Amino acid sequence: MSAPILSARFDPLSPEQRENPFDVLALARREQPVFYAPELDLWVVTRYDDVLEVLKDHRSLSSTGALKSASAPLPPEVVAVLAEGHPEMPYIIEIDPPLHDRIRGLVTKAFTPRRIGALEPTVHRIVDELLDDLPADGEADIVENFAWPLPLRVLGHLLGLPRDDLAQLHEWGNDWMLVQQDGPLEQRLQHARGTVALQRYFVAAVEQREQEPSDDLIGALVAARPETDPPLTNVEIAGLPLDLMVAGHVTVTRAIGSTLRLLFAYPQLRDHLLDAERAPRAIEEVLRLESPAQGLFRTATRDVVVGGATIPSGARIMAHFASANRDEGVFEEPVSCRPERDELARHVAFGKGIHFCIGAPLARLELAVALPALLTRLPNLRPASAPAVREPLFFARGFATLPVAWGAA
Ligand code: HEM
């Protein structure tokens, strides 16, 4: 049986679909809800119920390669560089039980609601620091000046990392995300070197906490290690702060940029965000509409039927969160921004099942502090004339650059 193909071209790397990935996905939900995209060698699952099925069936649909958008094997030169680091380092987002359960068990012991709640004054302080650095009237790239340093500094504080290391970690984190993506060999080697440096950095951070116990999250992970059975190794533990650093950073950066862009289109969103009662629902609605993680990947461990389509063993699958979040069978008038909608809590912007986002409470805290502060401290916030630039990963949605202006027009 031939693979189901969509009548329109699914081309999430094209400038048009980077700007608007939603129309082609709406067409897919109507015509061919599970389809094969030959150019990407990828099966795309677009309906809400089918996406949930994929996320729940972690036995048939492994998280191996959950962040890997390219299907081609890595070039041998890149593999050789990666071999100098810790190729065996597990990343929680890409592993299956039983190792996933052991690592997730450890992180939930250390990354507790109490620890997250205790971060609130720090988040306020960092937001104020960043806004203090901006003039009363002006223009700036809000991604560079606010949306990326905020989550980075919050995570630096959480993990107990020196402020001076953060810019470098940000760069290495990008390398780690991009090492799987196709591109010129020299660029890929650069990403591989950054990945190795990042792995070594976090292994050293874990080793240091072994020698000198600390109150930060890495220290708490090391302290809770004896509760894992068998105890996790230093390299296994080090994958966690690395994952938290990258997963917890870029997603919040994207969410801030996407919210601002949406706000320019829906000015009434401003009132919601400035009202402490209504802001949490407005934030969830933005996450539903924009889905900073548009979708992530799974690998079929056997032939599996999803939404009536037979996906062959070994195939790569994209569980399309953004498409599920606009499924008209679940969300009434899905393209409208309506924070009061009844079905809001059903969105899957943070995933579902065993890999449900560990950082969701922290993300919500950061957005709830940052967005009203931005709107209050930067009055009359509006797009600036310089063009915005979308970010490079096709399974993410946000901005690499978002120039804004504020104050007197
Ligand atoms: C708006 C912000 C965020 C969004 C939209 C988001 C989205 C997601 C999604 C969709 C998943 C599920 C992955 C899958 O099923 O394969 C996930 C997992 C994860 N997220 Fe987030 N995330 C956000 C913020 C954060 C933050 C702030 C942190 C950490 C501080 C974080 C850490 C993680 C980790 C470690 C996982 C993997 C969990 C596991 O595999 O068990 N995320 N996130």
Side-chain angles (χ1 to χ4, degrees), residues 113-159:
R114 198 159 154 233
R115 186 178 287 275
I116 296 169
L119 280 174
E120 189 168 346
T122 308
V123 177
H124 278 282
R125 176 178 53 75
I126 296 171
V127 164
D128 285 340
E129 274 169 21
L130 291 168
L131 292 174
D132 287 346
D133 285 345
L134 295 175
D137 274 77
E139 228 180 275
D141 171 10
I142 204 69
V143 173
E144 187 186 337
N145 288 279
F146 187 84
W148 86 250
L150 167 66
L152 192 65
R153 287 189 198 176
V154 171
L155 287 162
H157 179 90
L158 175 74
L159 297 169

Side-chain angles (χ1 to χ4, degrees), residues 19 140-143 256-271 273 286 290 337 371 374-375 378-388 390 399 401-406:
E19 191 51 44
D141 171 10
I142 204 69
V143 173
I256 294 173
S258 295
T259 309
L260 294 183
R261 178 54 96 77
L262 206 62
L263 203 92
F264 301 146
Y266 290 93
Q268 71 274 26
L269 196 54
R270 184 183 300 259
D271 300 335
L273 290 169
V286 172
E290 289 293 308
C337 178
L371 294 167
L374 269 174
L375 294 177
L378 306 181
N380 191 18
L381 194 62
R382 58 194 183 274
S385 46
R390 288 243 165 234
F399 293 93
T401 308
L402 184 62
V404 297
W406 62 93

Side-chain angles (χ1 to χ4, degrees), residues 136 153-154 173 175 199 270 310 335 348 350 363 374:
R153 287 189 198 176
V154 171
D175 289 329
Q199 291 174 332
R270 184 183 300 259
T310 304
V335 299
V348 289
F350 289 116
L374 269 174

Side-chain angles (χ1 to χ4, degrees), residues 308-326:
T310 304
I311 301 180
S313 177
R316 293 173 58 256
I317 295 135
M318 181 176 192
H320 214 300
F321 307 128
S323 177
N325 279 338
R326 289 181 178 227

